[in-house]
Amino acid sequence: MPASTAAPPHAALAMAATPAREGPLLYSLFPLEPLILHGVGAAVHVLLALAVAGRFLFHRCGLSGAGRAKDGEARGCGPRGGGQFRCRVVAVCATWAVAAAEVLLAAYSCYLGSSAGWSRETAVGLADAAARAVAWLLLAAYLQFDFGQRREGRFPAPLRLWWAFFLLLSLLAVADHVATRLDGLLVPALSWAFDAVSVAAAVVLLCAGLVGRREGGGSAAEEPLLNGTHESADGSGRGDAEASRFTGAGFFSLLTFSWMGPLLAVGHKKTLGLDDVPGLDPGDSISSLLPMFKVNLEAVAGDVSGSGRKAVTAFKLTKALLRTVWWHVAVTAFYALVYNVATYVGPYLIDSLVQYLNGDERYASKGQLLVLAFIVAKVFECVSQRHWFFRLQQAGIRARSALVAVVYQKGIALSSQSRQSRTSGEMINIISVDADRVGIFSWYMHDLWLVPLQVGMALFILYSTLGLASLAALGATVVVMLANVPPGRMQEKFQQKLMDCKDVRMKATSEILRNMRILKLQGWEMKFLSKIIELRKTETNWLKKYLYTSTLVTFVFWGAPTFVAVVTFGACMLMGIPLESGKVLSALATFRVLQEPIYNLPDTISMVIQTKVSLDRIASFLCLEELPTDAVQRLPNDSSDVAIAVSNGCFSWEASPELPTLKGLNFQAQRGMRVAVCGTVGSGKSSLLSCILGEIPKLSGEVKICGTTAYVSQSAWIQSGKIQDNILFGKEMDRDKYERVLESCSLKKDLEILPFGDQTVIGERGINLSGGQKQRIQIARALYQEADIYLFDDPFSAVDAHTGSHLFKECLLGALSSKTVVYVTHQIEFLPAADLILVMKDGKIAQAGKYNEILDSGDEFMELVGAHKDALAELDTIGAANRSNEGSPSRGTAKLTRSLSSAEKKDKQDEGNNQSGQLVQEEEREKGKVGFWVYWKYLTLAYKGALVPLVLLAQLLFQVLQIGSNYWMAWAAPVSKDVEPPVSMSTLIYVYIALAVGSSFCVLLRALFLVTASYKTATLLFDKMHMSIFRAAMSFFDSTPSGRILNRASTDQSEVDTGIAYQMGSVAFAVIQLVGIIAVMSQVAWQVFVVFIPVAATCFWYQRYYIDTAREMQRLVGVCKAPIIQHFAESITGSTTIRSFGKEDQFVSANSHLMDAYSRPKFYNAGAMEWLCFRLDVLSSLTFAFSLIFLINLPPGFIDPGIAGLAVTYGLNLNMLQAWVVWSMCNLENKIISVERILQYISIPAEPPLSIPEDRLALAQNWPSEGEIQLLDLHVKYAPQLPFVLKGLTVTFPGGLKTGIVGRTGSGKSTLIQALFRIVDPTIGQILIDGVDICTIGLHDLRSRLSIIPQEPTMFEGTVRSNLDPLGEYTDSQIWEALDCCQLGEEVRRKEHKLDSPVIENGENWSVGQRQLVCLGRVILKRSKILVLDEATASVDTATDNLIQKTLRQQFSEATVITIAHRITSVLDSDMVLLLDNGVAVERDAPARLLEDKSSLFSKLVAEYTMRSTHT
């Protein structure tokens, strides 16, 4: 082996290969006989072997007490007992590699001795080789089996010295060989190969010796051993090391990927679930990655002066990532180096093989050596490539995990301005697209330095065969690479534009999905779909440019190897360099190897561009301003009697001193005080709470709070998941406290109604709960946290009067009696109980004090109280009318009681406690093989598949022309100088050029056809999926978290846009190339089929065995991604609540858990792929080895050496191509799942038709003219597996009259409205409007003739005009009139842009009350005959409520108005009241008559409201 001693490593064969008269340089420098050098080498290695064996036996036999003591300490009892040993695996692998090489050398020395006779020199050389082989084998065994168990802190010092000595000797041997070659003497190829292995191994071993040490601290994997038990903490019986099959795998298991075997066996037997996938290696989990990455990021990113923010750039981010995964970068660089050196061995030896087959005497005895060199190089190539690719993917998984984790942490810490500067769509794209792209870039990270290396090695081989013509090859390669610069720059620009357009589209899609209910109610969904389609058109303009630019790049580089070959052979012709078949084939083989960097270069450049764009986006996001931590001084609870103190406070959401939101704030709240905040809409009440929490930017002043905080927001923020988890919010379950909280929040009855009680899974944003239920769960969450300070932002407006009174009494006056409570409210009746009332006006505290103190001290408070008294006066008027009305006996009260209908009884029986009863189901994923129909649908979608045969034909022609051109060169070039060429040099070159031009033209056509089909298919899939989603019933959106839909619209659509067509093309191209190679090889030796057919069958079996597992893991990857996006989106929306409770760490931990769950199938999917490819490589190497052995054993002259050389040239690529075929097929099956998932959503059941042409003719233009609504035996349920919500309602709402619907939260009020708008169709029964069954007409015909102000006020990003009139149907004067009617005219006129004033995402720059008024403005514009108010005035103060009611009476005096309200005063002037309880109509009559009957539920509800209001 080279460099093991001072002797030349090829000693045994050097004497036979070089003339005896001229020894190598080393011999001339040191006048020693080879005999002495071999003797010294053997002695040194014998000493090494004895030392290793002695150390091994000494410790194993425990020959000293000290040894035992140390051993005991090493096994975990001492300070060095914990942690993993860094670089041990690398050292072990390198040592085994050297040992294997030494064994091969010893075997070859033995073979030479037996064939050439045993001289003294040969015998000593063999002894030297044998001693080295034994010594290295013992050293490898020691490191593998003994050192790993000893838990030593570092590698032993003698071992590190030996490795340094080994490197020195290796370098000396290389220098000797170089000098020998320069002297004109032949150095055998085997010696060069051994030199390469020994130098590389020596460098690795020395590096391992320098940096290798045991990491401090016991690892989780060792805990069970230390504790003397094999149980893990969770009782599962397996520790982390066993949980990850990779972590505990042995050397040979790692080498051959056998550690994947058990998982593949499970996947082959059954459909894999996430529970079947083993755990991650500790180093791959976020718990170890995130701290390391954050430390590295902080180290490279300096502070921006004065801002306190980190100046993160794409370069610094890259640097931090490289520091985090440096070991993977280093080890993959080593594997890449070995692989690339090994791939050039074949082209280097082709000429020698051709000469051997031609009967050249110089190579007469070298046949077996050549075959051995080919096979060994192939083995190194295969093993290094598999481990290179696997470690690259592991590095990518780590990089992605680290980025998502740090982006998530940043997301929940952003300030309000930063939140407004980035939409949720942009932020979702960062974690779903940009982080993914950085992870994928790991595949390309070494290409930037490998390309120059590969070109350099190629030029070395070309120089050795073609001389100065290699300079022409270099020039051509440089020209080709430079030609890629302009398209590369264009691609970068197009990629940036494409991502920007995707951000805008995803933002709009996210907003639409959030507000789909209001779009359906208003009949606007098709208008908003057209908006998405328009955004997509802009995006596809850039996509088209990007794809066609990539076509140009593909053409340049597919034609590049041919171009380089033409230039090189042309230069040979001009320079007069003779072209012999051996040299030509060596050059062609080199060009084929050079194809890889040249083929990969466009991808690499494209990926560098895309990754740079993604890193820029991530870096700019990480540079956003975070919420300042010093805005509020947080002190311990017992440090002061003052719980909240604000002095000279000036705050602004805009962060500009000119327009402060709050100014001149000065107030204190003592510990245990109740502070009420009131004021008109937009006066700054919610902003006051935000300043206490530190959420609003502080311009000046000081805010101090003592103790922990809990916050209940005005718009309820509920997480997807169980109700119980929402209430516990990360705290341990205390059953007694939990029950008390449920009682205080009046939730027990609601939980009894829900099918699974507190285990019911809540849909996204609490979609399957009423507004009141969501608020009460919020309050319960706050109560359960046991905070010191409670901040309530008007939670009582979303609940009915009875529940509101109960909450105030039980929560604020009861459970929180000893706590500091600040509550915003519009209900005047809750103010007298406050110790301090703050009356807000125009961002200032207009009045402050107790109720009686401020009652007469200013107009602001009197205005609010006066409005409340006016509302109460109505009650007195109705009461007086009742008393004077003698003709209204109590029997007038219609009490509607009924027994359970048969349908309801059946429903009760069906209502089992099974999981299918949950509204939100697990994400559906296909199981088993991806159906052929998915491929067929994809292929035939664009132009009915007409372009597919054209693509295949172009590729087939390309392959035929390529093989033809190479065949021509092999046949037409002479084997040696002595042979007369069959054609002239010029004919040889011209024919080759013609064939080359033809093949390049075919490549261009193929690329153009492929891109055209890809673009058309992507467009059609997008349009069909979005049409299907927008036409889906509301139940689909209720039960489908938006993350799942967004995942398909972003990640899966991106895959379809740019990846899947290319992947499909790859499969077809690879199969065509494989058939071509086998055809060429069979020309030489048809016997190759004897091996190829069984090998191909085995390959196919392996592929089928593997794909069962890989397919399901790819699906699991897709399923596990949506929860990450959904959790991120929820966390961004609820970041204020998360921060107010101090739960950031809990949510970061939850994100880490979701990320690890996503990384697990991704990691094992990578392992499975390499398991397969390793076995395919071994099998294809067998085919190649058989062909070589067969060739060298043919009689001389039996076959044309040139054609035989051509077969070997193609055979060199056989393993790569065979693996590429299977890899492409598997990768396609994994990628096609994106199409499968999109097709899933294309087939969502649609709502009934939007319009029915014949019914539009039948419907009167002014329908409904009367507005009479009849409900006949109405039964409604939200899903087949859920119980009935409305249970047999039979009610008539007279036309032109006002009807109020009241009832406890969850009694079915909002469901009735949804049934009226056919958001939910009746299960049983009918709804008639003016005698027309609404189920017989189109949805838009119905919804466009009804108006609604929904419970949750909604504004879309855009302008005031586009929010009031999205369809553009009204003039500006009509819009201004509507704004004046809804009390917003003055507010909008004050704004600079008037009707074009901006509205940001979710309307967050408008208060909730103002948003509600905008919704009122919409219905005033529409002026329908039927108007529904669903808690329309819940978010406004009493004075504004009275104005709205007055406006509605004026504007809709002749309309049928249905009002759902919690404020009793809102329904008192109704002509009729309907009281619902648990889905049943309990009472229905005029309010006066119901009030007269003191036993009626309505009467009791009013009495309770009046009683709680008498304080005023």
Side-chain angles (χ1 to χ4, degrees):
M1 180 67 196
S4 299
T5 68
H10 59 290
L13 56 113
M15 289 178 283
T18 58
R21 66 182 181 274
E22 290 185 76
L25 175 70
L26 202 64
Y27 297 172
S28 62
L29 289 175
F30 303 98
L32 297 170
E33 289 294 321
L35 194 65
I36 298 172
L37 290 172
H38 283 311
V40 171
V44 169
H45 281 86
V46 166
L47 285 173
L48 173 65
L50 289 172
V52 173
R55 183 178 176 88
F56 183 80
L57 289 170
F58 183 79
H59 288 299
R60 281 284 159 183
C61 300
L63 297 177
S64 72
R68 283 196 195 96
K70 285 183 181 177
D71 196 50
E73 179 184 313
R75 289 182 188 277
C77 307
R80 293 189 298 181
Q84 294 183 336
F85 199 102
R86 192 198 304 165
C87 295
R88 175 180 160 265
V89 175
V90 179
V92 169
C93 292
T95 311
W96 277 114
V98 175
E102 294 288 8
V103 170
L104 281 171
L105 181 60
Y108 185 69
S109 299
C110 186
Y111 166 76
L112 274 184
S114 62
S115 60
W118 293 97
S119 65
R120 188 176 62 165
E121 288 83 358
T122 309
V124 174
L126 178 61
D128 181 19
R132 284 180 300 193
V134 170
W136 280 99
L137 281 170
L138 280 170
L139 184 57
Y142 162 72
L143 285 172
Q144 174 79 44
F145 303 112
D146 188 60
F147 179 76
Q149 296 179 0
R150 298 201 49 75
R151 303 284 192 268
E152 294 192 24
R154 296 197 69 178
F155 288 113
L159 185 61
R160 284 179 275 150
L161 284 172
W162 168 254
W163 285 339
F165 184 55
F166 175 49
L167 177 61
L168 178 65
L169 295 177
S170 299
L171 294 171
L172 278 172
V174 172
D176 180 38
H177 292 155
V178 171
T180 304
R181 191 74 186 87
L182 291 173
D183 285 344
L185 301 178
L186 180 67
V187 177
L190 186 62
S191 296
W192 288 117
F194 284 148
D195 278 347
V197 172
S198 64
V199 169
V203 169
V204 169
L205 288 170
L206 187 60
C207 291
L210 292 172
V211 302
R213 57 175 54 83
R214 191 168 300 286
E215 303 286 1
S219 71
E222 291 159 3
E223 287 299 323
L225 295 175
L226 300 180
N227 297 336
T229 174
H230 293 283
E231 290 291 327
S232 63
D234 61 1
S236 63
R238 63 180 192 175
D240 290 346
E242 284 110 358
S244 170
R245 296 193 185 283
F246 175 71
T247 308
F251 172 71
F252 290 105
S253 179
L254 286 172
L255 184 71
T256 60
F257 296 94
S258 302
W259 53 272
M260 278 300 305
L263 180 61
L264 288 159
V266 172
H268 186 60
K269 287 176 191 164
K270 65 164 200 166
T271 301
L272 278 183
L274 191 59
D275 292 340
D276 299 313
V277 182
L280 286 172
D281 180 75
D284 292 322
S285 68
I286 286 190
S287 56
S288 61
L289 278 174
L290 183 58
M292 196 193 321
F293 180 60
K294 285 179 74 178
V295 166
N296 291 329
L297 190 59
E298 285 168 12
V300 297
D303 281 337
V304 176
S305 56
S307 72
R309 281 183 282 161
K310 297 289 181 186
V312 183
T313 61
F315 175 73
K316 290 177 179 176
L317 199 56
T318 308
K319 201 171 167 186
L321 280 171
L322 287 175
R323 284 189 180 188
T324 307
V325 295
W326 71 269
W327 186 86
H328 284 77
V329 174
V331 81
T332 49
F334 171 70
Y335 287 138
L337 184 64
V338 172
Y339 168 76
N340 281 283
V341 169
T343 53
Y344 280 95
V345 170
Y348 183 71
L349 296 177
I350 284 281
D351 190 21
S352 304
L353 182 67
V354 170
Q355 298 308 323
Y356 170 80
L357 293 173
N358 194 38
D360 192 319
E361 290 181 4
R362 290 176 302 163
Y363 297 94
S365 61
K366 300 293 190 305
Q368 293 93 336
L369 178 61
L370 283 168
V371 170
L372 184 66
F374 272 115
I375 292 170
V376 169
K378 192 54 70 179
V379 167
F380 273 103
E381 179 189 325
C382 295
V383 172
S384 59
Q385 186 184 35
R386 299 283 58 89
H387 287 274
W388 174 25
F389 284 2
F390 175 68
R391 293 295 187 175
L392 282 179
Q393 291 176 81
Q394 192 180 21
I397 289 168
R398 290 189 175 194
R400 185 190 188 282
S401 296
L403 284 173
V404 172
V406 82
V407 165
Y408 180 86
Q409 277 197 340
K410 183 76 179 183
I412 59 173
L414 289 180
S415 66
S416 58
Q417 295 97 323
S418 300
R419 276 288 316 282
Q420 288 180 22
S421 70
R422 295 299 171 101
T423 63
S424 57
E426 283 176 315
M427 291 190 265
I428 286 168
N429 265 352
I430 284 173
I431 63 163
S432 67
V433 178
D434 294 315
D436 261 3
R437 188 163 287 129
V438 175
I440 292 166
F441 180 72
S442 62
W443 282 100
Y444 301 85
M445 67 181 169
H446 293 304
D447 287 7
L448 296 173
W449 65 267
L450 280 176
V451 168
L453 175 73
Q454 289 165 322
V455 171
M457 288 193 291
L459 288 173
F460 171 74
I461 294 170
L462 290 172
Y463 181 75
S464 65
T465 53
L466 300 177
L468 288 174
S470 60
L471 295 175
L474 173 63
T477 307
V478 170
V479 166
V480 165
M481 289 180 175
L482 288 175
N484 198 50
V485 173
R489 285 184 176 161
M490 287 160 68
Q491 269 193 307
E492 179 175 19
K493 175 188 166 190
F494 297 151
Q495 175 69 23
Q496 179 68 59
K497 297 285 187 186
L498 185 62
M499 289 307 298
D500 289 345
C501 292
K502 186 190 283 286
D503 279 346
V504 174
R505 173 174 64 81
M506 287 307 298
K507 177 183 92 177
T509 307
S510 177
E511 184 176 49
I512 287 167
L513 291 176
R514 266 200 310 273
N515 300 307
M516 187 56 81
R517 185 176 301 278
I518 183 67
L519 295 183
K520 296 270 185 195
L521 289 168
Q522 301 280 10
W524 291 342
E525 67 266 41
M526 289 299 109
K527 169 70 178 177
F528 279 78
L529 172 60
S530 65
K531 180 181 170 185
I532 294 291
I533 297 295
E534 281 303 313
L535 291 172
R536 172 68 179 175
K537 276 182 185 169
T538 312
E539 184 184 342
T540 51
N541 284 339
W542 295 111
L543 176 65
K544 189 189 287 186
K545 290 175 183 174
Y546 177 78
L547 288 174
Y548 281 102
T549 309
S550 69
T551 301
L552 179 63
V553 172
T554 304
F555 166 67
V556 168
F557 280 95
W558 271 89
T562 314
F563 172 71
V564 174
V566 165
V567 170
T568 307
F569 295 148
C572 288
M573 184 178 77
L574 294 173
M575 293 178 183
I577 298 169
L579 287 174
E580 299 162 17
S581 60
K583 291 179 178 179
V584 166
L585 290 171
S586 179
L588 286 175
T590 304
F591 295 144
R592 281 182 72 80
V593 177
L594 196 58
Q595 275 181 355
E596 190 182 340
I598 291 181
Y599 284 176
N600 286 343
L601 196 59
D603 279 347
T604 304
I605 291 170
S606 172
M607 273 308 295
V608 167
I609 290 161
Q610 292 180 36
T611 308
K612 168 75 165 53
V613 169
S614 290
L615 283 167
D616 281 334
R617 286 154 54 87
I618 295 170
S620 69
F621 181 77
L622 294 177
C623 285
L624 290 177
E625 188 180 18
E626 294 184 12
L627 201 69
T629 51
D630 58 348
V632 176
Q633 291 182 40
R634 298 179 184 275
L635 306 171
N637 186 37
D638 51 1
S639 61
S640 169
D641 287 336
V642 178
I644 305 168
V646 181
S647 53
N648 301 317
C650 189
F651 306 87
S652 174
W653 288 114
E654 307 295 328
S656 63
E658 296 81 28
L659 297 166
T661 309
L662 299 172
K663 45 191 178 287
L665 287 194
N666 286 285
F667 76 93
Q668 280 191 355
Q670 300 294 321
R671 202 189 310 170
M673 272 180 79
R674 281 191 294 277
V675 180
V677 183
C678 60
T680 54
V681 170
S683 59
K685 303 181 295 298
S686 298
S687 298
L688 180 68
L689 296 189
S690 296
C691 89
I692 296 170
L693 290 170
E695 293 288 328
I696 181 169
K698 183 174 69 174
L699 301 177
S700 61
E702 194 176 54
V703 182
K704 287 183 187 176
I705 59 171
C706 293
T708 55
T709 53
Y711 171 64
V712 178
S713 57
Q714 188 172 12
S715 299
W717 178 73
I718 301 289
Q719 282 180 276
S720 303
K722 295 175 183 172
I723 291 175
Q724 178 180 295
D725 296 338
N726 267 279
I727 295 172
L728 296 182
F729 208 45
K731 283 222 165 192
E732 291 293 320
M733 167 61 85
D734 177 341
R735 182 53 67 180
D736 291 340
K737 182 165 83 167
Y738 184 73
E739 293 296 331
R740 284 198 307 273
V741 166
L742 292 182
E743 188 64 50
S744 298
C745 295
S746 205
L747 276 170
K748 286 204 166 180
K749 192 171 178 185
D750 298 272
L751 295 182
E752 286 165 13
I753 296 169
L754 291 168
F756 297 96
D758 63 359
Q759 298 303 303
T760 301
V761 175
I762 303 173
E764 194 174 15
R765 304 185 311 281
I767 205 92
N768 47 334
L769 298 175
S770 71
Q773 286 169 330
K774 284 189 276 191
Q775 277 294 9
R776 283 180 288 131
I777 288 171
Q778 273 212 123
I779 296 169
R781 175 173 65 203
L783 259 60
Y784 194 83
Q785 296 305 304
E786 289 287 347
D788 302 313
I789 300 169
Y790 284 81
L791 305 173
F792 291 90
D793 193 354
D794 196 19
F796 309 115
S797 60
V799 295
D800 57 76
H802 167 78
T803 310
S805 298
H806 177 88
L807 287 174
F808 189 77
K809 182 179 172 186
E810 295 297 324
C811 297
L812 268 71
L813 303 182
L816 303 179
S817 56
S818 61
K819 307 286 186 180
T820 309
V821 181
V822 180
Y823 60 99
V824 170
T825 184
H826 289 129
Q827 277 93 330
I828 302 297
E829 57 270 24
F830 293 143
L831 295 178
D835 301 310
L836 173 66
I837 299 171
L838 303 176
V839 183
M840 300 297 296
K841 185 172 183 182
D842 299 331
K844 291 187 280 194
I845 298 175
Q847 292 174 269
K850 288 200 172 183
Y851 185 82
N852 292 325
E853 292 172 7
I854 62 171
L855 194 55
D856 300 318
S857 63
D859 297 336
E860 292 80 7
F861 192 57
M862 279 304 296
E863 188 181 323
L864 296 171
V865 174
H868 181 63
K869 285 184 173 172
D870 291 346
L872 287 176
E874 272 189 59
L875 276 174
D876 296 337
T877 308
I878 291 170
N882 285 346
R883 286 189 290 275
S884 64
N885 191 346
E886 295 173 9
S888 54
S890 59
R891 65 176 181 273
T893 301
K895 294 208 174 182
L896 309 178
T897 57
R898 41 177 290 286
S899 62
L900 284 174
S901 68
S902 59
E904 193 180 336
K905 283 176 182 169
K906 181 179 181 298
D907 184 64
K908 286 286 183 187
Q909 290 161 10
D910 291 345
E911 192 183 316
N913 198 19
N914 56 26
Q915 198 58 29
S916 66
Q918 297 282 19
L919 177 66
V920 181
Q921 303 288 333
E922 284 288 312
E923 179 166 6
E924 180 187 346
R925 65 180 174 106
E926 300 288 339
K927 291 182 170 60
K929 186 178 177 181
V930 176
F932 175 73
W933 69 272
V934 176
Y935 296 92
W936 184 251
K937 187 87 174 171
Y938 182 82
L939 287 170
T940 56
L941 202 59
Y943 311 110
K944 296 188 178 176
L947 292 179
V948 175
L950 295 175
V951 171
L952 293 175
L953 181 64
Q955 176 63 24
L956 198 61
L957 281 172
F958 167 72
Q959 191 63 30
V960 168
L961 290 170
Q962 268 228 324
I963 291 173
S965 63
N966 292 341
Y967 212 95
W968 165 259
M969 292 300 285
W971 173 80
V975 177
S976 63
K977 299 174 191 173
D978 312 326
V979 180
E980 184 68 26
V983 296
S984 67
M985 176 78 91
S986 57
T987 307
L988 177 79
I989 298 299
Y990 292 146
V991 171
Y992 184 75
I993 289 172
L995 292 168
V997 169
S999 67
S1000 299
F1001 182 67
C1002 289
V1003 166
L1004 180 61
L1005 281 178
R1006 188 208 73 191
L1008 285 170
F1009 287 145
L1010 189 68
V1011 163
T1012 305
S1014 164
Y1015 172 77
K1016 182 70 173 174
T1017 307
T1019 307
L1020 288 171
L1021 282 173
F1022 180 91
D1023 292 347
K1024 284 172 180 284
M1025 177 174 73
H1026 280 72
M1027 173 58 82
S1028 179
I1029 289 170
F1030 277 69
R1031 287 287 294 114
M1034 198 60 221
S1035 57
F1036 168 74
F1037 299 97
D1038 288 348
S1039 58
T1040 308
S1042 63
R1044 292 182 194 171
I1045 304 171
L1046 292 173
N1047 203 8
R1048 282 164 174 81
S1050 62
T1051 311
D1052 292 327
Q1053 187 63 47
S1054 289
E1055 204 65 68
V1056 169
D1057 284 347
T1058 54
I1060 288 174
Y1062 171 77
Q1063 202 61 49
M1064 251 180 192
S1066 285
V1067 172
F1069 310 155
V1071 169
I1072 290 168
Q1073 283 191 287
L1074 183 62
V1075 170
I1077 283 185
I1078 294 301
V1080 170
M1081 290 178 75
S1082 64
Q1083 286 283 307
V1084 178
W1086 61 265
Q1087 292 86 348
V1088 79
F1089 281 107
V1090 174
V1091 176
F1092 177 72
I1093 290 170
V1095 162
T1098 311
C1099 285
F1100 184 74
W1101 180 85
Y1102 267 128
Q1103 191 256 348
R1104 298 323 304 164
Y1105 182 79
Y1106 150 85
I1107 199 67
D1108 292 333
T1109 301
R1111 187 194 310 113
E1112 296 311 318
M1113 282 204 284
Q1114 187 63 29
R1115 284 176 174 145
L1116 284 172
V1117 167
V1119 168
C1120 290
K1121 188 169 188 178
I1124 297 170
I1125 296 173
Q1126 185 186 336
H1127 182 253
F1128 183 67
E1130 279 187 347
S1131 302
I1132 294 296
T1133 309
S1135 55
T1136 301
T1137 303
I1138 294 167
R1139 289 193 292 253
S1140 66
F1141 283 95
K1143 296 286 182 180
E1144 294 96 328
D1145 290 344
Q1146 177 188 317
F1147 275 76
V1148 167
S1149 174
N1151 179 63
S1152 301
H1153 176 74
L1154 290 171
M1155 272 305 303
D1156 287 346
Y1158 172 75
S1159 297
R1160 272 164 55 207
K1162 212 163 174 59
F1163 174 81
Y1164 286 96
N1165 204 12
M1169 174 62 80
E1170 300 313 323
W1171 175 92
L1172 173 70
C1173 288
F1174 180 83
R1175 279 145 186 78
L1176 297 181
D1177 282 350
V1178 169
L1179 290 168
S1180 57
S1181 297
L1182 278 176
T1183 310
F1184 181 57
F1186 175 83
S1187 308
L1188 283 173
I1189 293 165
F1190 182 80
L1191 276 176
I1192 65 164
N1193 287 299
L1194 285 173
F1198 184 80
I1199 192 165
D1200 182 347
I1203 303 303
L1206 180 66
V1208 175
T1209 304
Y1210 273 94
L1212 285 171
N1213 286 329
L1214 182 64
N1215 73 298
M1216 185 179 81
L1217 204 53
Q1218 202 167 322
W1220 185 29
V1221 168
V1222 177
W1223 185 85
S1224 296
M1225 288 168 69
C1226 297
N1227 207 30
L1228 174 61
E1229 190 156 355
N1230 288 341
K1231 299 267 188 194
I1232 202 76
I1233 289 167
S1234 287
V1235 176
E1236 182 186 57
R1237 283 157 58 81
I1238 288 174
L1239 290 175
Q1240 248 182 14
Y1241 274 26
I1242 286 175
S1243 55
I1244 302 166
E1247 281 186 306
L1250 297 176
S1251 61
I1252 302 170
E1254 56 270 22
D1255 280 357
R1256 292 199 78 162
L1257 296 172
L1259 273 179
Q1261 191 64 37
N1262 63 340
W1263 180 89
S1265 54
E1266 299 299 322
E1268 183 184 66
I1269 303 168
Q1270 293 171 281
L1271 313 180
L1272 306 176
D1273 192 29
L1274 187 65
H1275 288 75
V1276 175
K1277 58 164 74 175
Y1278 280 103
Q1281 75 271 20
L1282 295 178
F1284 281 109
V1285 181
L1286 295 181
K1287 305 165 185 176
L1289 284 187
T1290 301
V1291 179
T1292 299
F1293 298 96
L1297 298 183
K1298 187 175 179 186
T1299 304
I1301 304 177
V1302 294
R1304 281 190 84 253
T1305 301
S1307 59
K1309 304 187 294 295
S1310 292
T1311 304
L1312 174 56
I1313 302 309
Q1314 292 190 58
L1316 181 61
F1317 281 80
R1318 290 187 66 194
I1319 296 296
V1320 187
D1321 272 340
T1323 311
I1324 301 170
Q1326 287 180 301
I1327 301 176
L1328 306 178
I1329 298 180
D1330 282 4
V1332 176
D1333 185 346
I1334 64 169
C1335 291
T1336 62
I1337 62 174
L1339 292 181
H1340 273 193
D1341 296 338
L1342 170 69
R1343 292 169 184 169
S1344 61
R1345 317 241 182 152
L1346 309 179
S1347 289
I1348 183 167
I1349 302 179
Q1351 185 170 2
E1352 292 183 5
T1354 303
M1355 287 179 78
F1356 302 94
E1357 186 170 9
T1359 62
V1360 174
R1361 180 189 280 106
S1362 68
N1363 266 278
L1364 282 163
D1365 180 24
L1367 307 183
E1369 297 174 328
Y1370 303 101
T1371 63
D1372 280 8
S1373 59
Q1374 288 174 305
I1375 293 171
W1376 279 117
E1377 187 184 341
L1379 281 171
D1380 288 332
C1381 287
C1382 66
Q1383 312 299 317
L1384 273 177
E1386 286 308 310
E1387 179 70 28
V1388 175
R1389 284 187 181 89
R1390 280 204 297 269
K1391 293 186 179 289
E1392 184 184 348
H1393 300 292
K1394 307 292 189 291
L1395 290 178
D1396 293 317
S1397 298
V1399 176
I1400 64 167
E1401 194 176 11
N1402 295 333
E1404 285 179 3
N1405 55 341
W1406 295 71
S1407 75
V1408 178
Q1410 287 169 328
R1411 282 180 244 167
Q1412 195 70 279
L1413 294 174
V1414 168
C1415 294
L1416 174 64
R1418 286 176 190 150
V1419 301
I1420 291 172
L1421 270 176
K1422 199 171 177 183
R1423 295 187 189 278
S1424 301
K1425 184 66 180 174
I1426 296 175
L1427 170 64
V1428 176
L1429 308 175
D1430 189 359
E1431 316 280 7
T1433 57
S1435 302
V1436 297
D1437 58 88
T1438 313
T1440 310
D1441 183 11
N1442 291 349
L1443 283 169
I1444 290 172
Q1445 297 300 336
K1446 184 180 172 186
T1447 304
L1448 290 173
R1449 279 194 291 273
Q1450 290 169 354
Q1451 302 291 331
F1452 295 93
S1453 55
E1454 295 180 5
T1456 304
V1457 180
I1458 299 174
T1459 305
I1460 295 176
H1462 290 144
R1463 284 190 187 148
I1464 300 300
T1465 51
S1466 298
V1467 296
L1468 283 176
D1469 64 343
S1470 302
D1471 300 297
M1472 186 176 81
V1473 170
L1474 173 68
L1475 195 145
L1476 293 178
D1477 187 34
N1478 197 17
V1480 178
V1482 181
E1483 296 174 355
R1484 173 180 155 268
D1485 211 331
R1489 290 185 183 178
L1490 289 173
L1491 283 172
E1492 187 184 60
D1493 182 359
K1494 298 302 177 189
S1495 64
S1496 72
L1497 291 175
F1498 182 71
S1499 182
K1500 289 175 182 174
L1501 208 60
V1502 172
E1504 188 172 345
Y1505 182 83
T1506 313
M1507 194 163 59
R1508 82 174 190 193
S1509 303
T1510 50
H1511 297 290
T1512 61

